[in-house]
Amino acid sequence: QRSLYETALPRFLCEEHQICNVPMLWFDDFDGTSVWRKILSLVAMKTNGWRDGFADWVEALPTSPLNVPSESEREKVKREYREEVARKEQMVKDLQDKIASSEQRLKDQANAEQRMNQFQAEAEQRAARAEESLQDEIRKLKRELREAERNLPSSCFSPDSVVLDRALGPVTLKDLVVGSEVATSEGWSTVTTFLHWHPNATVRALQIVHHQGSLTLSPEHMVFAMTEPNGVARAIPAMEVEAGAMWLQVVHPKGDRIASFVHSVEQTT
């Protein structure tokens, strides 16, 4: 009956007789004396109102053995509270683990994207270096080509190239004679001699097709060209003329110098 005394007796003494915080003392009843009598003998020997009431209360307690619970109500509340706290702490821990896992996945994804961007940047740099190297190789080959072309026998103009004769108008070079007056960029000029005259030779040449006609000449022969129709003409080798991006300076049949757009530049003989 110890559990019953621990819960009911202090409350009874405090509520009915204003005797609170009474220390609990326990004795084994080996000599046949009832427990409550021993408690009364410890408090006082003579009887009074509160003692009689206490004695009546004890007498009214059940005499049959009680099933003592494994824990008191207070202990139960404490246990349930500790279990609830532990459960919530576990929930918090689980949420923290999920957050940490999500943050780690996000960090891994960011690292993967960073590595991908770095790989892409490195690939672009390698491609740019490769393109630059290829452009250098192309420029080198073009220089070697121009050098090789300069070492070829000069062929100048094709005999079928057309020039403007002051007396006859447009004529081919093969029809010119010493003494003919032809139009040049500086005005009319008299033919005094032919430096290269090989009527039966076959040589490599360029055919420049422009808006006013066409021009067949050796790749290294100089022509007057410009990068815009109203630009300043400059002398460049025929091999450097670019189709679709340049204009040739030609002499109009009336004697005026005009810009003629270059449509194509092709290899010929």
PDB file of all heavy atoms in Angstrom, residues 142 208-211 224-234 236 238-249 259-265:
ATOM      1  N   LYS A 142      49.630  30.553 -97.778  1.00  0.00           N
ATOM      2  CA  LYS A 142      49.380  31.610 -98.757  1.00  0.00           C
ATOM      3  C   LYS A 142      50.661  32.376 -99.073  1.00  0.00           C
ATOM      4  O   LYS A 142      50.913  32.731-100.241  1.00  0.00           O
ATOM      5  CB  LYS A 142      48.315  32.573 -98.231  1.00  0.00           C
ATOM      6  CG  LYS A 142      46.895  32.014 -98.281  1.00  0.00           C
ATOM      7  CD  LYS A 142      45.890  33.060 -97.841  1.00  0.00           C
ATOM      8  CE  LYS A 142      44.460  32.529 -97.984  1.00  0.00           C
ATOM      9  NZ  LYS A 142      43.464  33.541 -97.558  1.00  0.00           N
ATOM     10  N   ILE A 208      39.845  37.725-113.512  1.00  0.00           N
ATOM     11  CA  ILE A 208      39.060  38.539-112.580  1.00  0.00           C
ATOM     12  C   ILE A 208      37.844  39.054-113.352  1.00  0.00           C
ATOM     13  O   ILE A 208      37.984  39.826-114.322  1.00  0.00           O
ATOM     14  CB  ILE A 208      39.885  39.713-112.032  1.00  0.00           C
ATOM     15  CG1 ILE A 208      41.134  39.182-111.312  1.00  0.00           C
ATOM     16  CG2 ILE A 208      39.041  40.562-111.101  1.00  0.00           C
ATOM     17  CD1 ILE A 208      42.059  40.272-110.818  1.00  0.00           C
ATOM     18  N   VAL A 209      36.675  38.592-112.959  1.00  0.00           N
ATOM     19  CA  VAL A 209      35.427  39.039-113.581  1.00  0.00           C
ATOM     20  C   VAL A 209      34.854  40.157-112.727  1.00  0.00           C
ATOM     21  O   VAL A 209      34.577  39.969-111.536  1.00  0.00           O
ATOM     22  CB  VAL A 209      34.425  37.877-113.710  1.00  0.00           C
ATOM     23  CG1 VAL A 209      33.117  38.373-114.324  1.00  0.00           C
ATOM     24  CG2 VAL A 209      35.022  36.753-114.543  1.00  0.00           C
ATOM     25  N   HIS A 210      34.692  41.340-113.339  1.00  0.00           N
ATOM     26  CA  HIS A 210      34.158  42.486-112.601  1.00  0.00           C
ATOM     27  C   HIS A 210      32.953  43.032-113.349  1.00  0.00           C
ATOM     28  O   HIS A 210      32.570  42.535-114.426  1.00  0.00           O
ATOM     29  CB  HIS A 210      35.240  43.552-112.397  1.00  0.00           C
ATOM     30  CG  HIS A 210      35.892  44.005-113.655  1.00  0.00           C
ATOM     31  ND1 HIS A 210      35.474  45.096-114.372  1.00  0.00           N
ATOM     32  CD2 HIS A 210      36.955  43.481-114.346  1.00  0.00           C
ATOM     33  CE1 HIS A 210      36.230  45.252-115.433  1.00  0.00           C
ATOM     34  NE2 HIS A 210      37.145  44.275-115.448  1.00  0.00           N
ATOM     35  N   HIS A 211      32.352  44.075-112.780  1.00  0.00           N
ATOM     36  CA  HIS A 211      31.079  44.568-113.320  1.00  0.00           C
ATOM     37  C   HIS A 211      31.227  45.125-114.740  1.00  0.00           C
ATOM     38  O   HIS A 211      30.283  45.058-115.545  1.00  0.00           O
ATOM     39  CB  HIS A 211      30.512  45.652-112.389  1.00  0.00           C
ATOM     40  CG  HIS A 211      29.117  46.041-112.714  1.00  0.00           C
ATOM     41  ND1 HIS A 211      28.045  45.191-112.560  1.00  0.00           N
ATOM     42  CD2 HIS A 211      28.596  47.209-113.218  1.00  0.00           C
ATOM     43  CE1 HIS A 211      26.945  45.788-112.938  1.00  0.00           C
ATOM     44  NE2 HIS A 211      27.241  47.026-113.339  1.00  0.00           N
ATOM     45  N   PHE A 224      44.995  48.049-109.675  1.00  0.00           N
ATOM     46  CA  PHE A 224      44.543  49.065-108.725  1.00  0.00           C
ATOM     47  C   PHE A 224      43.168  48.642-108.197  1.00  0.00           C
ATOM     48  O   PHE A 224      42.222  48.453-108.970  1.00  0.00           O
ATOM     49  CB  PHE A 224      44.461  50.433-109.409  1.00  0.00           C
ATOM     50  CG  PHE A 224      45.808  51.022-109.694  1.00  0.00           C
ATOM     51  CD1 PHE A 224      46.428  50.809-110.924  1.00  0.00           C
ATOM     52  CD2 PHE A 224      46.467  51.768-108.726  1.00  0.00           C
ATOM     53  CE1 PHE A 224      47.674  51.343-111.189  1.00  0.00           C
ATOM     54  CE2 PHE A 224      47.714  52.305-108.992  1.00  0.00           C
ATOM     55  CZ  PHE A 224      48.338  52.086-110.211  1.00  0.00           C
ATOM     56  N   ALA A 225      43.103  48.482-106.869  1.00  0.00           N
ATOM     57  CA  ALA A 225      41.861  47.996-106.257  1.00  0.00           C
ATOM     58  C   ALA A 225      41.569  48.786-104.993  1.00  0.00           C
ATOM     59  O   ALA A 225      42.424  49.479-104.444  1.00  0.00           O
ATOM     60  CB  ALA A 225      41.974  46.507-105.943  1.00  0.00           C
ATOM     61  N   MET A 226      40.311  48.678-104.547  1.00  0.00           N
ATOM     62  CA  MET A 226      39.882  49.372-103.323  1.00  0.00           C
ATOM     63  C   MET A 226      38.845  48.505-102.598  1.00  0.00           C
ATOM     64  O   MET A 226      38.238  47.615-103.204  1.00  0.00           O
ATOM     65  CB  MET A 226      39.302  50.747-103.672  1.00  0.00           C
ATOM     66  CG  MET A 226      38.102  50.692-104.613  1.00  0.00           C
ATOM     67  SD  MET A 226      37.800  52.246-105.461  1.00  0.00           S
ATOM     68  CE  MET A 226      39.026  52.130-106.777  1.00  0.00           C
ATOM     69  N   THR A 227      38.694  48.748-101.310  1.00  0.00           N
ATOM     70  CA  THR A 227      37.758  47.943-100.500  1.00  0.00           C
ATOM     71  C   THR A 227      36.375  48.570-100.423  1.00  0.00           C
ATOM     72  O   THR A 227      35.468  47.992 -99.819  1.00  0.00           O
ATOM     73  CB  THR A 227      38.300  47.761 -99.078  1.00  0.00           C
ATOM     74  OG1 THR A 227      38.559  49.052 -98.501  1.00  0.00           O
ATOM     75  CG2 THR A 227      39.599  46.947 -99.094  1.00  0.00           C
ATOM     76  N   GLU A 228      36.184  49.747-100.979  1.00  0.00           N
ATOM     77  CA  GLU A 228      34.866  50.366-101.057  1.00  0.00           C
ATOM     78  C   GLU A 228      34.821  51.220-102.320  1.00  0.00           C
ATOM     79  O   GLU A 228      35.868  51.694-102.795  1.00  0.00           O
ATOM     80  CB  GLU A 228      34.558  51.210 -99.820  1.00  0.00           C
ATOM     81  CG  GLU A 228      35.595  52.256 -99.504  1.00  0.00           C
ATOM     82  CD  GLU A 228      35.292  52.964 -98.176  1.00  0.00           C
ATOM     83  OE1 GLU A 228      34.619  52.373 -97.322  1.00  0.00           O
ATOM     84  OE2 GLU A 228      35.726  54.111 -98.055  1.00  0.00           O
ATOM     85  N   PRO A 229      33.635  51.402-102.907  1.00  0.00           N
ATOM     86  CA  PRO A 229      33.551  52.033-104.232  1.00  0.00           C
ATOM     87  C   PRO A 229      34.100  53.446-104.278  1.00  0.00           C
ATOM     88  O   PRO A 229      34.604  53.888-105.306  1.00  0.00           O
ATOM     89  CB  PRO A 229      32.055  51.993-104.552  1.00  0.00           C
ATOM     90  CG  PRO A 229      31.375  51.803-103.241  1.00  0.00           C
ATOM     91  CD  PRO A 229      32.311  51.001-102.397  1.00  0.00           C
ATOM     92  N   ASN A 230      34.026  54.161-103.179  1.00  0.00           N
ATOM     93  CA  ASN A 230      34.518  55.538-103.160  1.00  0.00           C
ATOM     94  C   ASN A 230      35.840  55.652-102.423  1.00  0.00           C
ATOM     95  O   ASN A 230      36.247  56.751-102.034  1.00  0.00           O
ATOM     96  CB  ASN A 230      33.484  56.464-102.514  1.00  0.00           C
ATOM     97  CG  ASN A 230      32.190  56.528-103.306  1.00  0.00           C
ATOM     98  OD1 ASN A 230      32.222  56.518-104.534  1.00  0.00           O
ATOM     99  ND2 ASN A 230      31.063  56.581-102.619  1.00  0.00           N
ATOM    100  N   GLY A 231      36.502  54.510-102.214  1.00  0.00           N
ATOM    101  CA  GLY A 231      37.753  54.513-101.474  1.00  0.00           C
ATOM    102  C   GLY A 231      38.930  54.909-102.351  1.00  0.00           C
ATOM    103  O   GLY A 231      38.800  55.236-103.533  1.00  0.00           O
ATOM    104  N   VAL A 232      40.097  54.847-101.715  1.00  0.00           N
ATOM    105  CA  VAL A 232      41.335  55.186-102.418  1.00  0.00           C
ATOM    106  C   VAL A 232      41.903  53.917-103.037  1.00  0.00           C
ATOM    107  O   VAL A 232      42.094  52.912-102.348  1.00  0.00           O
ATOM    108  CB  VAL A 232      42.350  55.817-101.448  1.00  0.00           C
ATOM    109  CG1 VAL A 232      43.663  56.111-102.163  1.00  0.00           C
ATOM    110  CG2 VAL A 232      41.768  57.093-100.833  1.00  0.00           C
ATOM    111  N   ALA A 233      42.180  53.954-104.327  1.00  0.00           N
ATOM    112  CA  ALA A 233      42.727  52.777-105.005  1.00  0.00           C
ATOM    113  C   ALA A 233      44.200  52.621-104.649  1.00  0.00           C
ATOM    114  O   ALA A 233      44.942  53.605-104.529  1.00  0.00           O
ATOM    115  CB  ALA A 233      42.561  52.921-106.515  1.00  0.00           C
ATOM    116  N   ARG A 234      44.622  51.386-104.462  1.00  0.00           N
ATOM    117  CA  ARG A 234      46.031  51.102-104.198  1.00  0.00           C
ATOM    118  C   ARG A 234      46.457  49.916-105.053  1.00  0.00           C
ATOM    119  O   ARG A 234      45.646  49.042-105.384  1.00  0.00           O
ATOM    120  CB  ARG A 234      46.269  50.811-102.719  1.00  0.00           C
ATOM    121  CG  ARG A 234      45.507  49.631-102.187  1.00  0.00           C
ATOM    122  CD  ARG A 234      45.642  49.547-100.666  1.00  0.00           C
ATOM    123  NE  ARG A 234      44.943  48.376-100.141  1.00  0.00           N
ATOM    124  CZ  ARG A 234      45.505  47.197 -99.970  1.00  0.00           C
ATOM    125  NH1 ARG A 234      46.793  47.024-100.288  1.00  0.00           N
ATOM    126  NH2 ARG A 234      44.820  46.178 -99.473  1.00  0.00           N
ATOM    127  N   ILE A 236      47.935  46.465-105.804  1.00  0.00           N
ATOM    128  CA  ILE A 236      48.143  45.196-105.123  1.00  0.00           C
ATOM    129  C   ILE A 236      48.316  44.105-106.172  1.00  0.00           C
ATOM    130  O   ILE A 236      47.860  44.264-107.320  1.00  0.00           O
ATOM    131  CB  ILE A 236      46.960  44.848-104.193  1.00  0.00           C
ATOM    132  CG1 ILE A 236      45.672  44.697-105.000  1.00  0.00           C
ATOM    133  CG2 ILE A 236      46.801  45.867-103.084  1.00  0.00           C
ATOM    134  CD1 ILE A 236      44.500  44.163-104.171  1.00  0.00           C
ATOM    135  N   ALA A 238      47.479  40.861-108.275  1.00  0.00           N
ATOM    136  CA  ALA A 238      46.174  40.328-108.676  1.00  0.00           C
ATOM    137  C   ALA A 238      45.758  39.171-107.777  1.00  0.00           C
ATOM    138  O   ALA A 238      44.560  38.951-107.535  1.00  0.00           O
ATOM    139  CB  ALA A 238      46.215  39.890-110.132  1.00  0.00           C
ATOM    140  N   MET A 239      46.729  38.407-107.247  1.00  0.00           N
ATOM    141  CA  MET A 239      46.406  37.258-106.387  1.00  0.00           C
ATOM    142  C   MET A 239      45.760  37.690-105.068  1.00  0.00           C
ATOM    143  O   MET A 239      45.146  36.880-104.388  1.00  0.00           O
ATOM    144  CB  MET A 239      47.678  36.450-106.091  1.00  0.00           C
ATOM    145  CG  MET A 239      48.682  37.183-105.209  1.00  0.00           C
ATOM    146  SD  MET A 239      50.200  36.264-104.927  1.00  0.00           S
ATOM    147  CE  MET A 239      50.987  36.456-106.511  1.00  0.00           C
ATOM    148  N   GLU A 240      45.856  38.968-104.704  1.00  0.00           N
ATOM    149  CA  GLU A 240      45.286  39.444-103.448  1.00  0.00           C
ATOM    150  C   GLU A 240      43.899  40.061-103.629  1.00  0.00           C
ATOM    151  O   GLU A 240      43.286  40.507-102.665  1.00  0.00           O
ATOM    152  CB  GLU A 240      46.228  40.460-102.806  1.00  0.00           C
ATOM    153  CG  GLU A 240      47.556  39.858-102.373  1.00  0.00           C
ATOM    154  CD  GLU A 240      48.449  40.860-101.656  1.00  0.00           C
ATOM    155  OE1 GLU A 240      47.982  42.004-101.423  1.00  0.00           O
ATOM    156  OE2 GLU A 240      49.596  40.515-101.350  1.00  0.00           O
ATOM    157  N   VAL A 241      43.414  40.078-104.829  1.00  0.00           N
ATOM    158  CA  VAL A 241      42.061  40.609-105.066  1.00  0.00           C
ATOM    159  C   VAL A 241      41.039  39.604-104.530  1.00  0.00           C
ATOM    160  O   VAL A 241      41.123  38.403-104.798  1.00  0.00           O
ATOM    161  CB  VAL A 241      41.840  40.864-106.575  1.00  0.00           C
ATOM    162  CG1 VAL A 241      40.383  41.278-106.832  1.00  0.00           C
ATOM    163  CG2 VAL A 241      42.795  41.932-107.071  1.00  0.00           C
ATOM    164  N   GLU A 242      40.055  40.104-103.765  1.00  0.00           N
ATOM    165  CA  GLU A 242      39.029  39.253-103.154  1.00  0.00           C
ATOM    166  C   GLU A 242      37.684  39.504-103.828  1.00  0.00           C
ATOM    167  O   GLU A 242      37.208  40.640-103.890  1.00  0.00           O
ATOM    168  CB  GLU A 242      38.918  39.526-101.663  1.00  0.00           C
ATOM    169  CG  GLU A 242      40.187  39.207-100.883  1.00  0.00           C
ATOM    170  CD  GLU A 242      40.011  39.474 -99.404  1.00  0.00           C
ATOM    171  OE1 GLU A 242      38.850  39.680 -98.970  1.00  0.00           O
ATOM    172  OE2 GLU A 242      41.025  39.478 -98.685  1.00  0.00           O
ATOM    173  N   ALA A 243      37.088  38.412-104.318  1.00  0.00           N
ATOM    174  CA  ALA A 243      35.782  38.514-104.955  1.00  0.00           C
ATOM    175  C   ALA A 243      34.717  38.842-103.923  1.00  0.00           C
ATOM    176  O   ALA A 243      34.726  38.316-102.807  1.00  0.00           O
ATOM    177  CB  ALA A 243      35.438  37.211-105.672  1.00  0.00           C
ATOM    178  N   GLY A 244      33.787  39.726-104.303  1.00  0.00           N
ATOM    179  CA  GLY A 244      32.676  40.068-103.423  1.00  0.00           C
ATOM    180  C   GLY A 244      33.037  41.050-102.340  1.00  0.00           C
ATOM    181  O   GLY A 244      32.192  41.396-101.508  1.00  0.00           O
ATOM    182  N   ALA A 245      34.298  41.513-102.286  1.00  0.00           N
ATOM    183  CA  ALA A 245      34.704  42.413-101.211  1.00  0.00           C
ATOM    184  C   ALA A 245      35.551  43.576-101.721  1.00  0.00           C
ATOM    185  O   ALA A 245      35.939  44.429-100.926  1.00  0.00           O
ATOM    186  CB  ALA A 245      35.467  41.647-100.142  1.00  0.00           C
ATOM    187  N   MET A 246      35.847  43.616-103.025  1.00  0.00           N
ATOM    188  CA  MET A 246      36.724  44.658-103.539  1.00  0.00           C
ATOM    189  C   MET A 246      36.202  45.194-104.876  1.00  0.00           C
ATOM    190  O   MET A 246      35.348  44.570-105.535  1.00  0.00           O
ATOM    191  CB  MET A 246      38.161  44.133-103.702  1.00  0.00           C
ATOM    192  CG  MET A 246      38.771  43.592-102.418  1.00  0.00           C
ATOM    193  SD  MET A 246      40.496  43.100-102.594  1.00  0.00           S
ATOM    194  CE  MET A 246      41.287  44.700-102.523  1.00  0.00           C
ATOM    195  N   TRP A 247      36.747  46.364-105.250  1.00  0.00           N
ATOM    196  CA  TRP A 247      36.422  47.004-106.522  1.00  0.00           C
ATOM    197  C   TRP A 247      37.733  47.268-107.283  1.00  0.00           C
ATOM    198  O   TRP A 247      38.757  47.624-106.664  1.00  0.00           O
ATOM    199  CB  TRP A 247      35.717  48.331-106.312  1.00  0.00           C
ATOM    200  CG  TRP A 247      34.292  48.224-105.904  1.00  0.00           C
ATOM    201  CD1 TRP A 247      33.183  48.413-106.670  1.00  0.00           C
ATOM    202  CD2 TRP A 247      33.795  47.928-104.578  1.00  0.00           C
ATOM    203  NE1 TRP A 247      32.038  48.244-105.945  1.00  0.00           N
ATOM    204  CE2 TRP A 247      32.375  47.950-104.647  1.00  0.00           C
ATOM    205  CE3 TRP A 247      34.404  47.644-103.360  1.00  0.00           C
ATOM    206  CZ2 TRP A 247      31.570  47.708-103.563  1.00  0.00           C
ATOM    207  CZ3 TRP A 247      33.601  47.396-102.264  1.00  0.00           C
ATOM    208  CH2 TRP A 247      32.199  47.423-102.365  1.00  0.00           C
ATOM    209  N   LEU A 248      37.714  47.035-108.570  1.00  0.00           N
ATOM    210  CA  LEU A 248      38.861  47.392-109.408  1.00  0.00           C
ATOM    211  C   LEU A 248      38.672  48.795-109.948  1.00  0.00           C
ATOM    212  O   LEU A 248      37.536  49.224-110.227  1.00  0.00           O
ATOM    213  CB  LEU A 248      39.007  46.417-110.582  1.00  0.00           C
ATOM    214  CG  LEU A 248      39.460  44.990-110.275  1.00  0.00           C
ATOM    215  CD1 LEU A 248      39.598  44.221-111.587  1.00  0.00           C
ATOM    216  CD2 LEU A 248      40.775  44.973-109.514  1.00  0.00           C
ATOM    217  N   GLN A 249      39.799  49.505-110.088  1.00  0.00           N
ATOM    218  CA  GLN A 249      39.729  50.808-110.743  1.00  0.00           C
ATOM    219  C   GLN A 249      40.006  50.597-112.228  1.00  0.00           C
ATOM    220  O   GLN A 249      41.078  50.141-112.622  1.00  0.00           O
ATOM    221  CB  GLN A 249      40.761  51.774-110.151  1.00  0.00           C
ATOM    222  CG  GLN A 249      40.619  53.190-110.710  1.00  0.00           C
ATOM    223  CD  GLN A 249      41.686  54.107-110.169  1.00  0.00           C
ATOM    224  OE1 GLN A 249      42.853  53.956-110.515  1.00  0.00           O
ATOM    225  NE2 GLN A 249      41.291  55.025-109.299  1.00  0.00           N
ATOM    226  N   ALA A 259      35.011  52.734-110.468  1.00  0.00           N
ATOM    227  CA  ALA A 259      35.159  51.531-109.633  1.00  0.00           C
ATOM    228  C   ALA A 259      34.233  50.450-110.165  1.00  0.00           C
ATOM    229  O   ALA A 259      33.037  50.677-110.360  1.00  0.00           O
ATOM    230  CB  ALA A 259      34.838  51.835-108.173  1.00  0.00           C
ATOM    231  N   SER A 260      34.783  49.260-110.392  1.00  0.00           N
ATOM    232  CA  SER A 260      34.004  48.148-110.937  1.00  0.00           C
ATOM    233  C   SER A 260      34.050  46.985-109.948  1.00  0.00           C
ATOM    234  O   SER A 260      35.132  46.489-109.609  1.00  0.00           O
ATOM    235  CB  SER A 260      34.569  47.715-112.290  1.00  0.00           C
ATOM    236  OG  SER A 260      33.804  46.663-112.843  1.00  0.00           O
ATOM    237  N   PHE A 261      32.880  46.580-109.460  1.00  0.00           N
ATOM    238  CA  PHE A 261      32.792  45.544-108.422  1.00  0.00           C
ATOM    239  C   PHE A 261      33.303  44.203-108.949  1.00  0.00           C
ATOM    240  O   PHE A 261      32.967  43.782-110.059  1.00  0.00           O
ATOM    241  CB  PHE A 261      31.345  45.398-107.948  1.00  0.00           C
ATOM    242  CG  PHE A 261      31.174  44.428-106.824  1.00  0.00           C
ATOM    243  CD1 PHE A 261      31.605  44.741-105.544  1.00  0.00           C
ATOM    244  CD2 PHE A 261      30.585  43.189-107.034  1.00  0.00           C
ATOM    245  CE1 PHE A 261      31.444  43.857-104.500  1.00  0.00           C
ATOM    246  CE2 PHE A 261      30.412  42.294-106.011  1.00  0.00           C
ATOM    247  CZ  PHE A 261      30.856  42.633-104.726  1.00  0.00           C
ATOM    248  N   VAL A 262      34.117  43.503-108.107  1.00  0.00           N
ATOM    249  CA  VAL A 262      34.700  42.205-108.489  1.00  0.00           C
ATOM    250  C   VAL A 262      33.706  41.105-108.142  1.00  0.00           C
ATOM    251  O   VAL A 262      33.343  40.926-106.966  1.00  0.00           O
ATOM    252  CB  VAL A 262      36.030  41.962-107.773  1.00  0.00           C
ATOM    253  CG1 VAL A 262      36.582  40.575-108.115  1.00  0.00           C
ATOM    254  CG2 VAL A 262      37.045  43.042-108.153  1.00  0.00           C
ATOM    255  N   HIS A 263      33.286  40.338-109.160  1.00  0.00           N
ATOM    256  CA  HIS A 263      32.323  39.263-108.932  1.00  0.00           C
ATOM    257  C   HIS A 263      33.009  37.933-108.643  1.00  0.00           C
ATOM    258  O   HIS A 263      32.534  37.156-107.818  1.00  0.00           O
ATOM    259  CB  HIS A 263      31.416  39.103-110.175  1.00  0.00           C
ATOM    260  CG  HIS A 263      30.550  40.287-110.414  1.00  0.00           C
ATOM    261  ND1 HIS A 263      29.487  40.635-109.597  1.00  0.00           N
ATOM    262  CD2 HIS A 263      30.577  41.242-111.389  1.00  0.00           C
ATOM    263  CE1 HIS A 263      28.890  41.718-110.052  1.00  0.00           C
ATOM    264  NE2 HIS A 263      29.541  42.113-111.151  1.00  0.00           N
ATOM    265  N   SER A 264      34.120  37.649-109.310  1.00  0.00           N
ATOM    266  CA  SER A 264      34.805  36.354-109.097  1.00  0.00           C
ATOM    267  C   SER A 264      36.262  36.481-109.469  1.00  0.00           C
ATOM    268  O   SER A 264      36.656  37.339-110.266  1.00  0.00           O
ATOM    269  CB  SER A 264      34.130  35.257-109.933  1.00  0.00           C
ATOM    270  OG  SER A 264      34.301  35.505-111.326  1.00  0.00           O
ATOM    271  N   VAL A 265      37.069  35.584-108.872  1.00  0.00           N
ATOM    272  CA  VAL A 265      38.490  35.462-109.198  1.00  0.00           C
ATOM    273  C   VAL A 265      38.765  33.979-109.348  1.00  0.00           C
ATOM    274  O   VAL A 265      38.619  33.204-108.376  1.00  0.00           O
ATOM    275  CB  VAL A 265      39.372  36.068-108.100  1.00  0.00           C
ATOM    276  CG1 VAL A 265      40.856  35.882-108.447  1.00  0.00           C
ATOM    277  CG2 VAL A 265      39.050  37.544-107.884  1.00  0.00           C
TER     278      VAL A 265
END
